[in-house]
């Protein structure tokens, strides 16, 4: 059966001050009427029912996610005791899924992407699951056809054509590459052989667990101790101790660099990783002055800007160009939108100043 694992432990610092430790990006409603994590579950439709959906997050967000997703079993929302990157997260999920379904197929995806339409996404997942069923040792990922030379995404270089379907093609993966410099990103775009790495994977639970056991034996041993303690009175203590003892590493480094049989499906759906405030312009569109407005705003001589407020709080701008203005009840950001990658550094400075109430 197909199970879904949604990774929802990120802090979304580039969306500060709206995104906070207790209410990060994945819990916000940035597009449509539902939060990002709710939309991620909705997107699965009947393909993966709530009984086969798992959320891996951090401990402080468990109750908030349960409130947003009451249809999921309470124990399907798992809070990690420490941040340890994607490989431990996926390994833990693989053990949980395979406990009741040893032959399970997993789709693993982040909680903070915007994908449409749902029907094409579900069709692509079916194709990926069928591909894995036909070749159980194969790992399948989805590549996004690039529309510009992005420096903020990892890339996948495709190899030989493996198969064609009515809606898309499946290729062997030659290699994964890290976020490139601008010149390299332009070269990737010109070749037509590279995709943006969507961070969405489909595989047999047994396949990913075997790969982690081979390439990350210490991690696997800690995860195994957690699995073995399930149902016991000591589980909470074992989970805390063993998970914190894991050295964090991404799934790309832990597995993808070593795997021999990886396929990439050219995504037949639209995709946006909603990585920063400028993403809102793509998601919500802009007015005649090039502004993207959320909330109550009055602007004069304001162009190319992103204004975000809530409730009845009025934001008034005069003579602004290419700015980001985000108002929340206790913090306001005003920035040049071309400098927004530095928001992460600002958040670090707030932490260094001991202003925990603003994080």
């Amino acid at each position: 059966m197909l199970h879904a694992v949604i990774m929802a432990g990120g802090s979304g610092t580039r969306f500060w001050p709206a995104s906070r430790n207790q209410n990060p990006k994945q819990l916000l409603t940035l597009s449509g009427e539902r939060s990002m994590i709710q939309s991620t579950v909705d997107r699965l439709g009947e393909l993966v029912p709530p009984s086969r959906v798992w959320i891996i997050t951090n401990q402080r967000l468990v109750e908030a996610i349960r409130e947003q997703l009451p249809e999921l079993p309470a124990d399907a929302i798992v809070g990690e005791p420490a941040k340890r990157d994607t490989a431990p997260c996926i390994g833990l999920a693989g053990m949980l899924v395979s406990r009741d379904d040893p032959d399970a197929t997993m789709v693993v995806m982040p909680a903070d992407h915007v994908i449409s339409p749902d029907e094409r996404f579900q069709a692509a997942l079916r194709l990926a699951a069928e591909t894995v069923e036909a070749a159980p040792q194969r790992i399948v990922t989805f590549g996004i056809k690039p529309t510009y030379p992005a420096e903020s995404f990892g890339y996948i270089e495709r190899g030989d054509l493996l198969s064609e379907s009515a809606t898309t093609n499946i290729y062997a993966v030659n290699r994964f590459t890290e976020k490139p410099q601008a010149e390299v990103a332009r070269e990737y775009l010109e070749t037509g052989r590279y995709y943006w790495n969507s961070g969405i994977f489909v595989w047999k639970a047994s396949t990913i667990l075997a790969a982690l056991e081979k390439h990350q034996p210490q991690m696997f041993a800690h995860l195994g101790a957690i699995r073995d303690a399930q149902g016991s009175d000591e589980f909470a203590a074992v989970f805390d101790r063993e998970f914190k003892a894991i050295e964090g590493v991404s799934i790309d480094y832990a597995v993808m660099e070593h795997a021999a049989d990886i396929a990439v499906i050219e995504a037949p759906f639209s995709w946006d990783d909603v990585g920063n405030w400028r993403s809102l312009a793509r998601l919500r569109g802009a007015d005649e002055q090039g502004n993207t407005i959320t909330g109550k705003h009055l602007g004069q001589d304001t162009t190319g800007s992103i204004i975000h407020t809530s409730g009845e709080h009025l934001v008034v701008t005069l003579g602004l160009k290419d700015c980001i203005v985000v108002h929340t009840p206790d913090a306001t950001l005003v920035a040049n939108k071309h400098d927004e990658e530095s928001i992460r550094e600002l958040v670090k400075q707030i932490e260094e100043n001991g202003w925990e109430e603003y994080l």
Side-chain angles (χ1 to χ4, degrees):
M1 291 186 289
L2 182 61
H3 298 250
V5 173
I6 299 171
M7 299 182 291
S11 56
T13 53
R14 285 183 291 181
F15 272 92
W16 187 88
S19 179
R20 304 290 184 93
N21 286 335
Q22 298 299 327
N23 192 41
K25 177 176 67 168
Q26 58 268 33
L27 299 185
L28 301 180
T29 301
L30 297 175
S31 175
E33 302 299 323
R34 301 265 281 169
S35 74
M36 302 201 77
I37 195 168
Q38 288 173 324
S39 298
T40 301
V41 173
D42 294 346
R43 192 175 301 127
L44 295 166
E46 297 180 359
L47 183 61
V48 185
S51 61
R52 298 203 303 270
V53 175
W54 295 82
I55 310 290
I56 310 297
T57 184
N58 59 61
Q59 287 181 341
R60 68 174 179 270
L61 296 179
V62 168
E63 290 307 316
I65 292 175
R66 284 176 179 162
E67 289 179 9
Q68 288 206 3
L69 297 170
E71 69 272 24
L72 299 190
D75 61 357
I77 301 170
V78 180
E80 298 172 333
K83 186 176 181 180
R84 290 296 182 265
D85 217 321
T86 53
C89 167
I90 288 168
L92 176 64
M95 289 187 175
L96 293 172
V97 167
S98 61
R99 177 186 59 190
D100 298 322
D101 184 3
D103 193 43
T105 298
M106 299 165 57
V107 53
V108 178
M109 53 190 163
D112 55 359
H113 291 175
V114 172
I115 293 172
S116 65
D118 291 354
E119 294 77 12
R120 288 190 181 181
F121 177 72
Q122 292 167 21
L125 283 191
R126 288 190 188 93
L127 176 61
E130 291 167 0
T131 301
V132 168
E133 290 295 333
Q137 299 306 309
R138 178 167 290 169
I139 290 171
V140 178
T141 187
F142 295 89
I144 311 300
K145 199 169 182 179
T147 55
Y148 65 96
E151 301 171 59
S152 57
F153 300 143
Y155 284 74
I156 302 169
E157 183 185 16
R158 77 184 190 200
D160 295 336
L161 178 67
L162 297 178
S163 65
E164 298 176 272
S165 74
T167 56
T168 189
N169 297 329
I170 306 177
Y171 298 90
V173 170
N174 275 353
R175 62 172 178 146
F176 291 84
T177 67
E178 293 300 307
K179 298 173 183 178
Q181 297 295 321
E183 183 178 344
V184 176
R186 284 192 292 271
E187 292 175 1
Y188 287 172
L189 185 64
E190 290 170 1
T191 68
R193 299 195 312 272
Y194 286 84
Y195 298 111
W196 290 335
N197 186 349
S198 69
I200 304 172
F201 300 96
V202 178
W203 46 43
K204 286 286 185 183
S206 57
T207 297
I208 197 64
L209 291 175
L212 287 171
E213 183 175 21
K214 179 179 180 181
H215 301 294
Q216 299 288 327
Q218 290 184 329
M219 177 193 302
F220 189 84
H222 290 301
L223 293 173
I226 295 169
R227 175 197 56 206
D228 295 342
Q230 280 185 299
S232 72
D233 294 338
E234 294 79 29
F235 175 71
V238 172
F239 188 12
D240 185 80
R241 181 185 68 244
E242 296 293 332
F243 199 86
K244 286 180 177 177
I246 293 172
E247 183 177 347
V249 63
S250 73
I251 197 66
D252 290 342
Y253 284 116
V255 173
M256 296 304 152
E257 289 188 352
H258 310 287
D261 190 357
I262 310 177
V264 58
I265 295 176
E266 183 173 298
F269 47 79
S270 66
W271 172 92
D272 197 308
D273 81 329
V274 197
N276 50 39
W277 283 112
R278 293 175 72 180
S279 304
L280 292 190
R282 298 193 298 269
L283 298 176
R284 294 179 176 269
D287 60 21
E288 293 179 354
Q289 289 73 45
N291 299 314
T292 299
I293 309 298
T294 305
K296 187 173 288 187
H297 171 251
L298 174 64
Q300 291 187 17
D301 191 24
T302 297
T303 60
S305 294
I306 296 163
I307 314 295
H308 184 88
T309 182
S310 60
E312 293 302 311
H313 187 91
L314 173 66
V315 172
V316 180
T317 58
L318 173 63
L320 287 191
K321 179 180 180 182
D322 292 351
C323 285
I324 299 170
V325 179
V326 181
H327 171 269
T328 70
D330 63 348
T332 300
L333 170 71
V334 181
N336 185 314
K337 74 178 184 182
H338 301 294
D339 294 332
E340 71 169 332
E341 288 300 313
S342 298
I343 292 176
R344 281 181 169 178
E345 296 303 317
L346 292 176
V347 173
K348 288 181 181 178
Q349 290 181 35
I350 291 171
E351 184 175 11
E352 291 169 358
N353 286 345
W355 297 339
E356 298 292 330
E357 66 271 27
Y358 300 109
L359 296 176

